[in-house]
Amino acid sequence: MDKISIIVPVYNEEEAIKIFYDKITEVSAKIEAEFEFIFVNDGSKDKTLDIIKQLRAIDDKVRYVSFSRNFGKEAAMFAGLEAST
């Protein structure tokens, strides 16, 4: 079976991350493939990481990488690719 890794760099997205997750899981459920969702927290200063951890607790397809500070979307994408399976 095919596996699709969706890499999502995030920075201070506490208000949008749950909306995005709900929609992407709805869409992915209609596709016959295995999915993993890799959120890369790029040094967020809000509750983005806490929300990602909550999503991980309820969905084992959710994975995450968290940076100690903001490194930019290119570094976040690279980290997500490195973490993908």
Side-chain angles (χ1 to χ4, degrees):
M1 176 179 266
D2 293 328
K3 185 173 196 176
I4 299 172
S5 299
I6 298 178
I7 301 166
V8 187
V10 293
Y11 179 73
N12 294 338
E13 298 290 345
E14 70 180 339
E15 293 186 23
I17 199 163
K18 181 72 168 82
I19 297 166
F20 173 81
Y21 170 79
D22 289 344
K23 186 53 78 172
I24 199 68
T25 54
E26 177 186 322
V27 171
S28 66
K30 299 175 184 175
I31 300 170
E32 290 192 33
E34 183 180 352
F35 279 84
E36 69 179 350
F37 309 109
I38 304 171
F39 292 92
V40 183
N41 178 40
D42 195 10
S44 295
K45 298 184 185 330
D46 63 0
K47 294 182 178 171
T48 297
L49 182 57
D50 294 333
I51 295 168
I52 294 169
K53 288 179 178 180
Q54 291 170 4
L55 294 173
R56 172 68 183 148
I58 61 170
D59 186 348
D60 63 353
K61 294 184 298 267
V62 172
R63 300 177 58 218
Y64 67 92
V65 175
S66 186
F67 292 162
S68 60
R69 65 175 182 84
N70 186 279
F71 287 94
K73 70 179 180 309
E74 293 83 5
M77 287 300 295
F78 183 73
L81 288 169
E82 288 281 305
S84 69
T85 58

